[in-house]
Amino acid sequence: MIQIQLQPKVLDPFKAIQIFQSQPEFKAAHYGANAIFIGTMRDFNEGDDVVAMHLEHYAGMTERQLQALTLKVLEQYPVEHVLIEHRVGDIVPADPIVVVAVWSAHRKSAFAACRELMEALKREAPFWKHEVLSNGTKRWVEHNTAG
Amino acid sequence: MIQIQLQPKVLDPFKAIQIFQSQPEFKAAHYGANAIFIGTMRDFNEGDDVVAMHLEHYAGMTERQLQALTLKVLEQYPVEHVLIEHRVGDIVPADPIVVVAVWSAHRKSAFAACRELMEALKREAPFWKHEVLSNGTKRWVEHNTAG
Amino acid sequence: MSVKVLFFASLREQVGKGQAILEYSTPITALQVWQLTSGKDLMPNTVRVAINQSYSDANTGVQDGDEVAFFPPVTGG
Amino acid sequence: MSVKVLFFASLREQVGKGQAILEYSTPITALQVWQLTSGKDLMPNTVRVAINQSYSDANTGVQDGDEVAFFPPVTGG
């Protein structure tokens, strides 16, 4: 299964994974390896205190792009399931921004696919971060660093 | 923080992580990147159906070895926290065997440290799997594959 | 013929609008769409172009009814 | 002088015991501990040796009071 979701409210990564795993197509005794990445909002960036953030996205293209990059990663690694959830809208420090979870028979594929999905998402999915600093200034994050 | 625990009862990876994160030393807005690996018991191995498993370990050395290998990985990667829980005793398919969770400021370190911790654990931590097959036969798993 | 034009994030602020409809009569490229709607002749080389929600580039010709989007480097995840 | 000797997993089954106390009077190596307690002259090269709960090797000398363990390749995780 591939499940991709944009989340306008609080994202609870573990609840999202548990709901995903409760589906009948999910056979817990089949996979062995589950690699998960959770990205969380920090309260600092480039030396400044950040108090809030708006996550803008290109509705429609974001979902298409996440789907396309997932299919591309699945061509390279033997993976059974992929779950991606990403926040949109207004968040505060410590809020989860993204969860990527991958299930595979082998840990090597699970790790590699999870990592490659995160890199592809950071590179290609049309999201933009707009930070609110502690002095009230707002600024756009200019680019993601390579992982 | 480094927290290493052997779990003789059912291991709930997400609950273990949430309890870890509820400690005052855990500053959720500081890390940004959390990589997690969960290993689960499969219901097949080397072409046979497996119905149960006993996880033997060398009490004392296992904890020391996990601590030592974690310190070694922390020398190589800038990582803030590590949580490792591993089941011991009798388990059945779909039961979690191990969870390794790593928190870092950067996803590259989080992924790399999580992966390296799993490889080191598989290579060095004194656990042994004793499988019960569907025909009642018992056998020792002979070696771990490289990841 | 016409295309729907979208600007996102810092580009939306710089251009002063989030979307526009561009009507045109002879074939044009995404770059010309940019020039005719953003009020800027040059397109910074960091600008990414998407046509119908897939990545494209400035020299690609647009078709009647296309959705053409311009945005800065993405910063999700 | 004496050492505590431990066997784990499939080795415990092959040797027929999980632990033993070995008394000795002249300095010996882990290999000699193996020979004197396992009933086997040869130590398969897959056997791992730990002294006082740290990895060691067959040629290392043991000290009075040491805990000397022998076990097959580990299969955790």
Side-chain angles (χ1 to χ4, degrees):
Chain A
M1 292 184 279
I2 298 175
Q3 187 174 308
I4 289 163
Q5 203 170 332
L6 302 184
Q7 183 54 261
K9 302 231 176 108
V10 171
L11 169 55
D12 181 336
F14 299 148
K15 198 172 154 193
I17 292 171
Q18 283 164 328
I19 291 170
F20 183 83
Q21 289 179 318
S22 70
Q23 299 174 91
E25 298 91 332
F26 189 91
K27 313 289 186 199
H30 280 34
Y31 316 122
N34 177 205
I36 302 167
F37 181 84
I38 298 169
T40 306
M41 185 186 160
R42 290 188 293 171
D43 58 8
F44 60 97
N45 189 25
E46 308 200 354
D48 297 302
D49 292 336
V50 185
V51 297
M53 186 185 271
H54 180 76
L55 279 162
E56 180 172 334
H57 75 291
Y58 181 173
M61 179 166 175
T62 307
E63 296 89 329
R64 284 171 63 120
Q65 199 58 32
L66 289 172
Q67 186 80 27
L69 66 86
T70 300
L71 290 174
K72 215 156 76 182
V73 169
L74 293 193
E75 281 173 17
Q76 297 171 63
Y77 302 101
V79 157
E80 301 296 328
H81 301 303
V82 171
L83 169 67
I84 300 178
E85 294 213 7
H86 198 293
R87 267 304 302 272
V88 295
D90 295 308
I91 65 173
V92 292
D95 279 354
I97 295 172
V98 62
V99 56
V100 172
V102 173
W103 288 264
S104 173
H106 302 288
R107 68 188 186 284
K108 186 176 181 171
S109 313
F111 271 120
C114 187
R115 169 114 207 237
E116 184 50 37
L117 284 167
M118 269 308 299
E119 297 312 307
L121 182 156
K122 288 245 173 196
R123 208 168 46 225
E124 297 165 23
F127 295 101
W128 301 275
K129 292 186 175 120
H130 199 207
E131 295 177 332
V132 183
L133 306 187
S134 55
N135 65 8
T137 313
K138 294 182 179 186
R139 70 178 176 199
W140 294 96
V141 175
E142 291 193 348
H143 52 77
N144 275 336
T145 49
Chain B
M1 290 184 280
I2 298 175
Q3 187 173 307
I4 289 163
Q5 203 168 333
L6 302 184
Q7 183 54 262
K9 302 227 176 112
V10 171
L11 169 56
D12 181 337
F14 299 148
K15 199 173 153 193
I17 291 171
Q18 283 164 327
I19 290 171
F20 183 82
Q21 290 180 318
S22 70
Q23 299 173 92
E25 298 91 333
F26 189 91
K27 313 290 186 198
H30 279 36
Y31 316 122
N34 177 205
I36 301 168
F37 181 84
I38 298 169
T40 305
M41 184 185 161
R42 290 188 293 171
D43 58 7
F44 60 96
N45 189 25
E46 308 200 355
D48 298 302
D49 291 335
V50 184
V51 296
M53 185 183 274
H54 180 75
L55 280 162
E56 181 173 334
H57 75 292
Y58 181 174
M61 180 167 173
T62 308
E63 296 88 329
R64 285 171 61 117
Q65 199 57 32
L66 289 172
Q67 186 80 27
L69 66 84
T70 301
L71 290 175
K72 216 155 78 182
V73 169
L74 292 194
E75 281 173 16
Q76 297 170 62
Y77 303 101
V79 157
E80 301 296 328
H81 300 303
V82 171
L83 169 67
I84 300 178
E85 295 214 7
H86 199 292
R87 265 308 299 275
V88 295
D90 295 310
I91 65 172
V92 292
D95 279 353
I97 295 173
V98 62
V99 55
V100 172
V102 173
W103 287 264
S104 173
H106 303 288
R107 69 188 185 283
K108 185 174 182 173
S109 312
F111 271 121
C114 188
R115 169 113 207 239
E116 185 49 37
L117 283 168
M118 269 308 298
E119 297 312 308
L121 182 155
K122 289 244 171 195
R123 206 166 51 224
E124 297 165 23
F127 295 101
W128 301 275
K129 292 186 174 122
H130 199 208
E131 295 177 334
V132 183
L133 305 187
S134 56
N135 64 9
T137 313
K138 294 181 181 189
R139 70 177 176 200
W140 293 96
V141 175
E142 292 193 349
H143 52 76
N144 274 335
T145 48
Chain C
M1 299 180 288
S2 72
V3 291
K4 180 181 177 184
V5 188
L6 302 172
F7 301 97
F8 288 95
S10 57
L11 269 192
R12 184 186 61 248
E13 293 184 350
Q14 286 163 33
V15 169
K17 59 191 163 199
Q19 61 178 73
I21 300 291
L22 175 67
E23 304 205 341
Y24 62 99
S25 49
T26 56
I28 54 174
T29 64
L31 176 61
Q32 289 171 298
V33 173
W34 164 267
Q35 289 165 334
L36 291 164
T37 53
S38 71
K40 297 168 195 290
D41 278 352
L42 294 175
M43 184 190 296
N45 63 12
T46 57
V47 171
R48 301 193 74 171
V49 179
I51 298 178
N52 297 328
Q53 306 188 351
S54 292
Y55 283 107
S56 187
D57 62 73
N59 299 318
T60 302
V62 300
Q63 309 292 322
D64 185 31
D66 279 357
E67 178 174 298
V68 184
F70 302 98
F71 48 82
V74 301
T75 56
Chain D
M1 297 181 286
S2 73
V3 290
K4 180 180 177 185
V5 187
L6 301 172
F7 301 97
F8 288 95
S10 57
L11 269 192
R12 184 186 60 248
E13 293 184 350
Q14 287 164 33
V15 168
K17 59 190 164 202
Q19 59 178 74
I21 300 291
L22 175 66
E23 304 204 342
Y24 62 99
S25 50
T26 57
I28 55 174
T29 64
L31 177 60
Q32 289 170 299
V33 173
W34 165 267
Q35 289 165 335
L36 292 163
T37 53
S38 71
K40 298 169 195 285
D41 277 353
L42 294 176
M43 185 190 295
N45 63 12
T46 57
V47 172
R48 302 192 74 171
V49 179
I51 298 178
N52 297 329
Q53 307 188 350
S54 292
Y55 282 108
S56 186
D57 63 73
N59 299 317
T60 301
V62 300
Q63 309 293 323
D64 185 31
D66 278 357
E67 179 173 297
V68 185
F70 302 97
F71 47 83
V74 301
T75 56

PDB file of all heavy atoms in Angstrom, chain C residues 16-44:
ATOM      1  N   GLY C  16       3.343  40.019  -6.222  1.00  0.00           N
ATOM      2  CA  GLY C  16       2.191  40.776  -5.735  1.00  0.00           C
ATOM      3  C   GLY C  16       0.855  40.126  -6.034  1.00  0.00           C
ATOM      4  O   GLY C  16      -0.198  40.743  -5.858  1.00  0.00           O
ATOM      5  N   LYS C  17       0.890  38.867  -6.505  1.00  0.00           N
ATOM      6  CA  LYS C  17      -0.370  38.154  -6.710  1.00  0.00           C
ATOM      7  C   LYS C  17      -0.125  36.648  -6.683  1.00  0.00           C
ATOM      8  O   LYS C  17       0.988  36.182  -6.957  1.00  0.00           O
ATOM      9  CB  LYS C  17      -1.023  38.546  -8.038  1.00  0.00           C
ATOM     10  CG  LYS C  17      -0.169  38.268  -9.261  1.00  0.00           C
ATOM     11  CD  LYS C  17      -0.760  38.926 -10.500  1.00  0.00           C
ATOM     12  CE  LYS C  17       0.297  39.010 -11.620  1.00  0.00           C
ATOM     13  NZ  LYS C  17      -0.018  39.989 -12.646  1.00  0.00           N
ATOM     14  N   GLY C  18      -1.165  35.921  -6.341  1.00  0.00           N
ATOM     15  CA  GLY C  18      -1.045  34.467  -6.249  1.00  0.00           C
ATOM     16  C   GLY C  18      -1.465  33.780  -7.525  1.00  0.00           C
ATOM     17  O   GLY C  18      -1.002  32.697  -7.839  1.00  0.00           O
ATOM     18  N   GLN C  19      -2.363  34.436  -8.287  1.00  0.00           N
ATOM     19  CA  GLN C  19      -2.745  33.812  -9.556  1.00  0.00           C
ATOM     20  C   GLN C  19      -3.221  34.818 -10.574  1.00  0.00           C
ATOM     21  O   GLN C  19      -3.520  35.971 -10.250  1.00  0.00           O
ATOM     22  CB  GLN C  19      -3.758  32.713  -9.350  1.00  0.00           C
ATOM     23  CG  GLN C  19      -5.070  33.147  -8.736  1.00  0.00           C
ATOM     24  CD  GLN C  19      -6.006  31.949  -8.639  1.00  0.00           C
ATOM     25  OE1 GLN C  19      -5.813  31.067  -7.814  1.00  0.00           O
ATOM     26  NE2 GLN C  19      -7.019  31.903  -9.496  1.00  0.00           N
ATOM     27  N   ALA C  20      -3.235  34.372 -11.799  1.00  0.00           N
ATOM     28  CA  ALA C  20      -3.657  35.239 -12.898  1.00  0.00           C
ATOM     29  C   ALA C  20      -4.152  34.354 -14.037  1.00  0.00           C
ATOM     30  O   ALA C  20      -3.824  33.165 -14.091  1.00  0.00           O
ATOM     31  CB  ALA C  20      -2.467  36.084 -13.372  1.00  0.00           C
ATOM     32  N   ILE C  21      -4.963  34.938 -14.898  1.00  0.00           N
ATOM     33  CA  ILE C  21      -5.322  34.260 -16.155  1.00  0.00           C
ATOM     34  C   ILE C  21      -4.626  35.035 -17.271  1.00  0.00           C
ATOM     35  O   ILE C  21      -4.744  36.263 -17.325  1.00  0.00           O
ATOM     36  CB  ILE C  21      -6.849  34.285 -16.390  1.00  0.00           C
ATOM     37  CG1 ILE C  21      -7.608  33.594 -15.252  1.00  0.00           C
ATOM     38  CG2 ILE C  21      -7.190  33.658 -17.752  1.00  0.00           C
ATOM     39  CD1 ILE C  21      -7.419  32.096 -15.180  1.00  0.00           C
ATOM     40  N   LEU C  22      -3.892  34.334 -18.102  1.00  0.00           N
ATOM     41  CA  LEU C  22      -3.221  34.996 -19.218  1.00  0.00           C
ATOM     42  C   LEU C  22      -3.865  34.564 -20.524  1.00  0.00           C
ATOM     43  O   LEU C  22      -3.904  33.375 -20.839  1.00  0.00           O
ATOM     44  CB  LEU C  22      -1.719  34.646 -19.229  1.00  0.00           C
ATOM     45  CG  LEU C  22      -0.951  35.200 -20.442  1.00  0.00           C
ATOM     46  CD1 LEU C  22      -0.883  36.729 -20.396  1.00  0.00           C
ATOM     47  CD2 LEU C  22       0.446  34.600 -20.512  1.00  0.00           C
ATOM     48  N   GLU C  23      -4.349  35.561 -21.278  1.00  0.00           N
ATOM     49  CA  GLU C  23      -4.889  35.255 -22.608  1.00  0.00           C
ATOM     50  C   GLU C  23      -3.829  35.597 -23.643  1.00  0.00           C
ATOM     51  O   GLU C  23      -3.114  36.600 -23.495  1.00  0.00           O
ATOM     52  CB  GLU C  23      -6.163  36.071 -22.839  1.00  0.00           C
ATOM     53  CG  GLU C  23      -7.182  35.807 -21.735  1.00  0.00           C
ATOM     54  CD  GLU C  23      -8.614  36.071 -22.167  1.00  0.00           C
ATOM     55  OE1 GLU C  23      -8.825  36.776 -23.170  1.00  0.00           O
ATOM     56  OE2 GLU C  23      -9.523  35.552 -21.481  1.00  0.00           O
ATOM     57  N   TYR C  24      -3.696  34.737 -24.657  1.00  0.00           N
ATOM     58  CA  TYR C  24      -2.658  34.958 -25.654  1.00  0.00           C
ATOM     59  C   TYR C  24      -3.137  34.405 -26.987  1.00  0.00           C
ATOM     60  O   TYR C  24      -4.073  33.585 -27.047  1.00  0.00           O
ATOM     61  CB  TYR C  24      -1.334  34.319 -25.230  1.00  0.00           C
ATOM     62  CG  TYR C  24      -1.424  32.816 -25.069  1.00  0.00           C
ATOM     63  CD1 TYR C  24      -0.981  31.956 -26.087  1.00  0.00           C
ATOM     64  CD2 TYR C  24      -1.967  32.244 -23.915  1.00  0.00           C
ATOM     65  CE1 TYR C  24      -1.067  30.582 -25.944  1.00  0.00           C
ATOM     66  CE2 TYR C  24      -2.069  30.865 -23.772  1.00  0.00           C
ATOM     67  CZ  TYR C  24      -1.614  30.049 -24.792  1.00  0.00           C
ATOM     68  OH  TYR C  24      -1.722  28.705 -24.657  1.00  0.00           O
ATOM     69  N   SER C  25      -2.490  34.834 -28.083  1.00  0.00           N
ATOM     70  CA  SER C  25      -3.004  34.449 -29.401  1.00  0.00           C
ATOM     71  C   SER C  25      -2.017  33.653 -30.241  1.00  0.00           C
ATOM     72  O   SER C  25      -2.410  32.932 -31.140  1.00  0.00           O
ATOM     73  CB  SER C  25      -3.464  35.687 -30.168  1.00  0.00           C
ATOM     74  OG  SER C  25      -2.453  36.662 -30.121  1.00  0.00           O
ATOM     75  N   THR C  26      -0.708  33.784 -29.948  1.00  0.00           N
ATOM     76  CA  THR C  26       0.281  32.968 -30.679  1.00  0.00           C
ATOM     77  C   THR C  26       1.008  32.104 -29.659  1.00  0.00           C
ATOM     78  O   THR C  26       1.101  32.480 -28.491  1.00  0.00           O
ATOM     79  CB  THR C  26       1.311  33.855 -31.402  1.00  0.00           C
ATOM     80  OG1 THR C  26       1.920  34.707 -30.431  1.00  0.00           O
ATOM     81  CG2 THR C  26       0.635  34.703 -32.462  1.00  0.00           C
ATOM     82  N   PRO C  27       1.550  30.947 -30.084  1.00  0.00           N
ATOM     83  CA  PRO C  27       2.196  30.017 -29.148  1.00  0.00           C
ATOM     84  C   PRO C  27       3.258  30.701 -28.296  1.00  0.00           C
ATOM     85  O   PRO C  27       4.053  31.498 -28.817  1.00  0.00           O
ATOM     86  CB  PRO C  27       2.820  28.964 -30.074  1.00  0.00           C
ATOM     87  CG  PRO C  27       1.949  28.986 -31.292  1.00  0.00           C
ATOM     88  CD  PRO C  27       1.532  30.416 -31.462  1.00  0.00           C
ATOM     89  N   ILE C  28       3.276  30.380 -26.993  1.00  0.00           N
ATOM     90  CA  ILE C  28       4.276  30.972 -26.091  1.00  0.00           C
ATOM     91  C   ILE C  28       4.864  29.908 -25.177  1.00  0.00           C
ATOM     92  O   ILE C  28       4.307  28.822 -25.009  1.00  0.00           O
ATOM     93  CB  ILE C  28       3.675  32.112 -25.228  1.00  0.00           C
ATOM     94  CG1 ILE C  28       2.428  31.617 -24.465  1.00  0.00           C
ATOM     95  CG2 ILE C  28       3.334  33.320 -26.085  1.00  0.00           C
ATOM     96  CD1 ILE C  28       1.883  32.641 -23.487  1.00  0.00           C
ATOM     97  N   THR C  29       6.014  30.264 -24.602  1.00  0.00           N
ATOM     98  CA  THR C  29       6.685  29.368 -23.656  1.00  0.00           C
ATOM     99  C   THR C  29       6.342  29.789 -22.214  1.00  0.00           C
ATOM    100  O   THR C  29       5.795  30.877 -21.983  1.00  0.00           O
ATOM    101  CB  THR C  29       8.217  29.458 -23.802  1.00  0.00           C
ATOM    102  OG1 THR C  29       8.616  30.790 -23.442  1.00  0.00           O
ATOM    103  CG2 THR C  29       8.644  29.158 -25.244  1.00  0.00           C
ATOM    104  N   ALA C  30       6.762  28.913 -21.272  1.00  0.00           N
ATOM    105  CA  ALA C  30       6.551  29.236 -19.857  1.00  0.00           C
ATOM    106  C   ALA C  30       7.272  30.539 -19.493  1.00  0.00           C
ATOM    107  O   ALA C  30       6.763  31.344 -18.715  1.00  0.00           O
ATOM    108  CB  ALA C  30       7.029  28.084 -18.976  1.00  0.00           C
ATOM    109  N   LEU C  31       8.460  30.743 -20.084  1.00  0.00           N
ATOM    110  CA  LEU C  31       9.203  31.981 -19.809  1.00  0.00           C
ATOM    111  C   LEU C  31       8.388  33.203 -20.228  1.00  0.00           C
ATOM    112  O   LEU C  31       8.325  34.200 -19.497  1.00  0.00           O
ATOM    113  CB  LEU C  31      10.557  31.981 -20.536  1.00  0.00           C
ATOM    114  CG  LEU C  31      11.389  33.261 -20.400  1.00  0.00           C
ATOM    115  CD1 LEU C  31      11.733  33.546 -18.937  1.00  0.00           C
ATOM    116  CD2 LEU C  31      12.671  33.166 -21.232  1.00  0.00           C
ATOM    117  N   GLN C  32       7.749  33.109 -21.395  1.00  0.00           N
ATOM    118  CA  GLN C  32       6.920  34.244 -21.842  1.00  0.00           C
ATOM    119  C   GLN C  32       5.703  34.437 -20.931  1.00  0.00           C
ATOM    120  O   GLN C  32       5.299  35.568 -20.668  1.00  0.00           O
ATOM    121  CB  GLN C  32       6.506  34.033 -23.299  1.00  0.00           C
ATOM    122  CG  GLN C  32       7.697  34.203 -24.254  1.00  0.00           C
ATOM    123  CD  GLN C  32       7.368  33.786 -25.679  1.00  0.00           C
ATOM    124  OE1 GLN C  32       7.042  32.619 -25.924  1.00  0.00           O
ATOM    125  NE2 GLN C  32       7.437  34.728 -26.600  1.00  0.00           N
ATOM    126  N   VAL C  33       5.167  33.330 -20.437  1.00  0.00           N
ATOM    127  CA  VAL C  33       4.061  33.445 -19.465  1.00  0.00           C
ATOM    128  C   VAL C  33       4.550  34.233 -18.248  1.00  0.00           C
ATOM    129  O   VAL C  33       3.876  35.139 -17.747  1.00  0.00           O
ATOM    130  CB  VAL C  33       3.546  32.053 -19.037  1.00  0.00           C
ATOM    131  CG1 VAL C  33       2.519  32.186 -17.910  1.00  0.00           C
ATOM    132  CG2 VAL C  33       2.943  31.300 -20.227  1.00  0.00           C
ATOM    133  N   TRP C  34       5.740  33.859 -17.764  1.00  0.00           N
ATOM    134  CA  TRP C  34       6.351  34.569 -16.630  1.00  0.00           C
ATOM    135  C   TRP C  34       6.485  36.059 -16.931  1.00  0.00           C
ATOM    136  O   TRP C  34       6.083  36.916 -16.139  1.00  0.00           O
ATOM    137  CB  TRP C  34       7.722  33.958 -16.332  1.00  0.00           C
ATOM    138  CG  TRP C  34       8.620  34.790 -15.470  1.00  0.00           C
ATOM    139  CD1 TRP C  34       9.547  35.685 -15.885  1.00  0.00           C
ATOM    140  CD2 TRP C  34       8.650  34.817 -14.030  1.00  0.00           C
ATOM    141  NE1 TRP C  34      10.175  36.272 -14.821  1.00  0.00           N
ATOM    142  CE2 TRP C  34       9.642  35.759 -13.656  1.00  0.00           C
ATOM    143  CE3 TRP C  34       7.948  34.149 -13.035  1.00  0.00           C
ATOM    144  CZ2 TRP C  34       9.943  36.040 -12.323  1.00  0.00           C
ATOM    145  CZ3 TRP C  34       8.255  34.430 -11.707  1.00  0.00           C
ATOM    146  CH2 TRP C  34       9.233  35.355 -11.362  1.00  0.00           C
ATOM    147  N   GLN C  35       7.054  36.385 -18.108  1.00  0.00           N
ATOM    148  CA  GLN C  35       7.308  37.784 -18.451  1.00  0.00           C
ATOM    149  C   GLN C  35       6.012  38.577 -18.564  1.00  0.00           C
ATOM    150  O   GLN C  35       5.921  39.720 -18.127  1.00  0.00           O
ATOM    151  CB  GLN C  35       8.102  37.861 -19.765  1.00  0.00           C
ATOM    152  CG  GLN C  35       9.546  37.379 -19.574  1.00  0.00           C
ATOM    153  CD  GLN C  35      10.265  37.097 -20.872  1.00  0.00           C
ATOM    154  OE1 GLN C  35       9.623  36.778 -21.880  1.00  0.00           O
ATOM    155  NE2 GLN C  35      11.583  37.183 -20.855  1.00  0.00           N
ATOM    156  N   LEU C  36       4.988  37.943 -19.101  1.00  0.00           N
ATOM    157  CA  LEU C  36       3.719  38.644 -19.329  1.00  0.00           C
ATOM    158  C   LEU C  36       2.873  38.789 -18.064  1.00  0.00           C
ATOM    159  O   LEU C  36       1.947  39.592 -18.017  1.00  0.00           O
ATOM    160  CB  LEU C  36       2.916  37.913 -20.408  1.00  0.00           C
ATOM    161  CG  LEU C  36       3.513  37.987 -21.829  1.00  0.00           C
ATOM    162  CD1 LEU C  36       2.888  36.929 -22.731  1.00  0.00           C
ATOM    163  CD2 LEU C  36       3.318  39.388 -22.414  1.00  0.00           C
ATOM    164  N   THR C  37       3.179  37.969 -17.034  1.00  0.00           N
ATOM    165  CA  THR C  37       2.312  38.023 -15.839  1.00  0.00           C
ATOM    166  C   THR C  37       3.044  38.530 -14.598  1.00  0.00           C
ATOM    167  O   THR C  37       2.412  39.059 -13.678  1.00  0.00           O
ATOM    168  CB  THR C  37       1.724  36.628 -15.508  1.00  0.00           C
ATOM    169  OG1 THR C  37       2.800  35.689 -15.420  1.00  0.00           O
ATOM    170  CG2 THR C  37       0.741  36.195 -16.571  1.00  0.00           C
ATOM    171  N   SER C  38       4.368  38.354 -14.531  1.00  0.00           N
ATOM    172  CA  SER C  38       5.079  38.728 -13.300  1.00  0.00           C
ATOM    173  C   SER C  38       5.521  40.186 -13.322  1.00  0.00           C
ATOM    174  O   SER C  38       5.887  40.739 -12.281  1.00  0.00           O
ATOM    175  CB  SER C  38       6.325  37.851 -13.121  1.00  0.00           C
ATOM    176  OG  SER C  38       7.313  38.196 -14.090  1.00  0.00           O
ATOM    177  N   GLY C  39       5.543  40.777 -14.517  1.00  0.00           N
ATOM    178  CA  GLY C  39       6.065  42.137 -14.621  1.00  0.00           C
ATOM    179  C   GLY C  39       7.577  42.169 -14.588  1.00  0.00           C
ATOM    180  O   GLY C  39       8.189  43.224 -14.456  1.00  0.00           O
ATOM    181  N   LYS C  40       8.219  40.989 -14.675  1.00  0.00           N
ATOM    182  CA  LYS C  40       9.693  40.937 -14.654  1.00  0.00           C
ATOM    183  C   LYS C  40      10.180  40.300 -15.956  1.00  0.00           C
ATOM    184  O   LYS C  40       9.677  39.262 -16.370  1.00  0.00           O
ATOM    185  CB  LYS C  40      10.179  40.094 -13.472  1.00  0.00           C
ATOM    186  CG  LYS C  40       9.803  40.670 -12.098  1.00  0.00           C
ATOM    187  CD  LYS C  40      10.056  39.626 -11.006  1.00  0.00           C
ATOM    188  CE  LYS C  40       9.383  39.994  -9.698  1.00  0.00           C
ATOM    189  NZ  LYS C  40       9.986  41.157  -9.013  1.00  0.00           N
ATOM    190  N   ASP C  41      11.192  40.891 -16.560  1.00  0.00           N
ATOM    191  CA  ASP C  41      11.749  40.322 -17.785  1.00  0.00           C
ATOM    192  C   ASP C  41      12.536  39.056 -17.512  1.00  0.00           C
ATOM    193  O   ASP C  41      12.421  38.058 -18.219  1.00  0.00           O
ATOM    194  CB  ASP C  41      12.680  41.337 -18.471  1.00  0.00           C
ATOM    195  CG  ASP C  41      11.883  42.325 -19.302  1.00  0.00           C
ATOM    196  OD1 ASP C  41      10.655  42.111 -19.443  1.00  0.00           O
ATOM    197  OD2 ASP C  41      12.479  43.298 -19.793  1.00  0.00           O
ATOM    198  N   LEU C  42      13.392  39.147 -16.468  1.00  0.00           N
ATOM    199  CA  LEU C  42      14.266  38.013 -16.176  1.00  0.00           C
ATOM    200  C   LEU C  42      13.603  37.070 -15.170  1.00  0.00           C
ATOM    201  O   LEU C  42      12.962  37.513 -14.213  1.00  0.00           O
ATOM    202  CB  LEU C  42      15.591  38.504 -15.600  1.00  0.00           C
ATOM    203  CG  LEU C  42      16.441  39.321 -16.578  1.00  0.00           C
ATOM    204  CD1 LEU C  42      17.679  39.870 -15.878  1.00  0.00           C
ATOM    205  CD2 LEU C  42      16.821  38.469 -17.795  1.00  0.00           C
ATOM    206  N   MET C  43      13.814  35.778 -15.392  1.00  0.00           N
ATOM    207  CA  MET C  43      13.362  34.804 -14.400  1.00  0.00           C
ATOM    208  C   MET C  43      14.596  34.316 -13.637  1.00  0.00           C
ATOM    209  O   MET C  43      15.506  33.744 -14.238  1.00  0.00           O
ATOM    210  CB  MET C  43      12.690  33.612 -15.099  1.00  0.00           C
ATOM    211  CG  MET C  43      12.120  32.628 -14.093  1.00  0.00           C
ATOM    212  SD  MET C  43      11.584  31.079 -14.890  1.00  0.00           S
ATOM    213  CE  MET C  43      10.296  31.683 -15.924  1.00  0.00           C
ATOM    214  N   PRO C  44      14.662  34.578 -12.324  1.00  0.00           N
ATOM    215  CA  PRO C  44      15.828  34.102 -11.557  1.00  0.00           C
ATOM    216  C   PRO C  44      16.006  32.602 -11.777  1.00  0.00           C
ATOM    217  O   PRO C  44      15.020  31.865 -11.892  1.00  0.00           O
ATOM    218  CB  PRO C  44      15.436  34.395 -10.103  1.00  0.00           C
ATOM    219  CG  PRO C  44      14.403  35.472 -10.182  1.00  0.00           C
ATOM    220  CD  PRO C  44      13.670  35.247 -11.468  1.00  0.00           C
TER     221      PRO C  44
END
